[in-house]
Amino acid sequence: MSTFFSEISKNTIFLSAVTSWLIAQIIKIIIELFRTKKFKLSLILSSGGMPSSHTSFIIALAVSVGFQEGFDSVLFAIAGAISLVVMYDAQGVRRAAGKQAAIINTMLENIENTGIKVDKKLKELLGHSPIEVVFGAILGIIIASLFSR
């Protein structure tokens, strides 16, 4: 088991991706702190918001692969293609699901007004706006560049 942790701690590709994700999540906490004056540590594991941590993670991974293996390598092509899917999903499918959840939550509030009890609301902040995805990508590129030095 110690070999596993020893090897993973030397894997700059993985470390750059995880670091980029963590920094994106910390930025979300800081933005929320300035916006609402409330410190919400729970945001460290949340989805949605500025910047996209999914995007920062996958872009840091892809760019790190590019730096290590070459931007003309098969591994970069695979990582780059997966990055495009993740970014499309973050600002497309997941964002649409969040909007649908908001509509359903409004409908459930109206049902509760009639006296029917509803257990819990659906999570609305699932996806990202295009600008949140762009900033996640920029963060991923910066972190991967720092790890490649």
Side-chain angles (χ1 to χ4, degrees):
M1 190 66 144
S2 67
T3 304
F4 170 78
F5 289 112
S6 174
E7 289 177 4
I8 214 119
S9 70
K10 295 174 190 165
N11 188 325
T12 58
I13 293 173
F14 180 74
L15 291 175
S16 75
V18 171
T19 300
S20 190
W21 170 85
L22 182 61
I23 290 171
Q25 293 302 95
I26 290 169
I27 290 170
K28 289 177 190 182
I29 292 171
I30 293 167
I31 288 172
E32 184 70 12
L33 180 63
F34 280 104
R35 197 173 66 78
T36 66
K37 307 290 188 253
K38 294 180 183 175
F39 181 76
K40 292 185 180 178
L41 187 59
S42 63
L43 291 176
I44 200 77
L45 297 176
S46 70
S47 61
M50 172 67 94
S52 168
S53 57
H54 290 85
T55 300
S56 67
F57 179 92
I58 199 69
I59 290 294
L61 178 92
V63 172
S64 292
V65 167
F67 281 131
Q68 185 168 313
E69 302 295 326
F71 288 95
D72 61 347
S73 69
V74 171
L75 288 176
F76 175 74
I78 292 168
I82 292 170
S83 296
L84 294 174
V85 172
V86 169
M87 291 187 305
Y88 175 80
D89 179 65
Q91 66 94 31
V93 177
R94 287 180 38 241
R95 187 170 185 212
K99 288 179 177 181
Q100 291 173 354
I103 292 168
I104 292 169
N105 284 337
T106 300
M107 292 167 55
L108 291 175
E109 286 173 15
N110 291 335
I111 289 172
E112 282 185 330
N113 291 338
T114 66
I116 298 172
K117 175 89 171 99
V118 179
D119 286 343
K120 67 178 187 175
K121 292 176 65 171
L122 296 172
K123 183 171 179 171
E124 296 177 18
L125 190 57
L126 298 171
H128 297 280
S129 67
I131 195 73
E132 292 168 342
V133 171
V134 167
F135 276 98
I138 292 168
L139 177 62
I141 291 167
I142 291 168
I143 298 301
S145 297
L146 293 173
F147 268 83
S148 73
R149 297 188 187 272

